[in-house]
Amino acid sequence: MIELVMFDADGVLFDSTESNVAYYNWIFAKVGEPPLDRDEEISAVSYAASEVFAARARGDAAKLGAMHDVTRNMDQTPFFKMLRPPFDLRPFMLELKRRYKLGLATNRSATVPALVEHLGLGGVFDAVASALDKVRPKPAPDILRLCLDRANVSAARAVYIGDSRIDREAANGAGMHFIGVGNRIEHDHTIATIADLQTALKLLE
């Protein structure tokens, strides 16, 4: 029996491609770097910001430090406005919450609290874990395990909803069920959008 439905953020609760590309390109411009290339744009959706910055810095500590300095006082509002949820998330999540505990486990870090409020999901999640918790980012299972601990639910009774290979690997590492969202992920259990989640969850019962 599934007790906890745990969500990734980007690519699951919303399409964040436009937002993420604009975010990193704005930071890179501030430190004199060219914009993301196509491969970097794909990575930027799933990987933690620290990993995106490190990949671009290529061992240049000064450049890496400059990127992190830019993020400390930047206004996230313009980038939140570019997020594209498939529908009004709060009623959908509250309906799910009638039957399951809900969790959020994401490679995002400092943006998570403001993001939850921007999406109108304050008070919805029973447990939240992110790269802000200073654990290894996905594909390591650490963030998911921390979310499980905070929800007080065993891995066998939880499912992770993700849209990428690193989400699937993290769920496998944590010993959780997994449901893939969208066309970027291959798995036995996949759905087009989270609008189809209720049906997919019933198949796991």
Side-chain angles (χ1 to χ4, degrees):
M1 179 179 176
I2 300 298
E3 295 179 14
L4 171 67
V5 179
M6 187 190 302
F7 293 88
D8 178 32
D10 296 68
V12 174
L13 297 181
F14 45 78
D15 182 341
S16 62
T17 302
E18 178 187 5
S19 175
N20 283 333
V21 169
Y23 171 82
Y24 287 113
N25 285 345
W26 189 88
I27 293 168
F28 289 168
K30 289 290 185 181
V31 299
E33 282 288 302
L36 296 166
D37 63 30
R38 180 56 183 157
D39 289 339
E40 288 176 317
E41 288 182 2
I42 294 170
S43 296
V45 176
S46 300
Y47 285 87
S50 60
E51 295 177 298
V52 176
F53 293 152
R56 173 56 74 93
R58 297 181 179 86
D60 186 330
K63 186 181 293 185
L64 182 61
M67 292 176 191
H68 284 290
D69 287 343
V70 170
T71 67
R72 289 193 176 94
N73 297 306
M74 66 186 293
D75 180 11
Q76 300 289 343
T77 305
F79 308 105
F80 285 164
K81 289 180 178 178
M82 296 179 189
L83 299 175
R84 302 285 182 258
F87 43 72
D88 186 359
L89 292 172
R90 188 174 182 87
F92 174 81
M93 299 298 254
L94 290 177
E95 180 63 26
L96 274 180
K97 196 173 173 68
R98 296 173 61 184
R99 185 168 184 180
Y100 309 99
K101 287 185 176 181
L102 301 182
L104 178 66
T106 171
N107 271 348
R108 282 180 175 259
S109 53
T111 61
V112 171
L115 175 67
V116 169
E117 293 305 316
H118 174 78
L119 295 172
L121 298 179
V124 166
F125 295 108
D126 298 280
V128 175
S130 72
L132 189 63
D133 289 299
K134 306 301 182 185
V135 295
R136 292 182 301 167
K138 298 175 296 181
D142 303 33
I143 290 174
L144 277 64
R145 286 174 175 164
L146 181 58
C147 194
L148 287 169
D149 288 344
R150 288 174 173 171
N152 194 29
V153 175
S154 69
R157 292 182 175 271
V159 58
Y160 190 50
I161 317 301
D163 72 310
S164 69
R165 173 188 55 81
I166 69 168
D167 295 330
R168 184 185 64 213
E169 291 179 4
N172 288 342
M176 297 175 59
H177 299 280
F178 180 76
I179 295 174
V181 178
N183 56 16
R184 297 175 56 236
I185 180 68
E186 293 183 3
H187 192 262
D188 292 340
H189 300 289
T190 59
I191 54 179
T193 75
I194 56 171
D196 303 316
L197 184 55
Q198 291 272 22
T199 300
L201 288 171
K202 290 176 182 177
L203 294 176
L204 292 178
E205 295 292 344

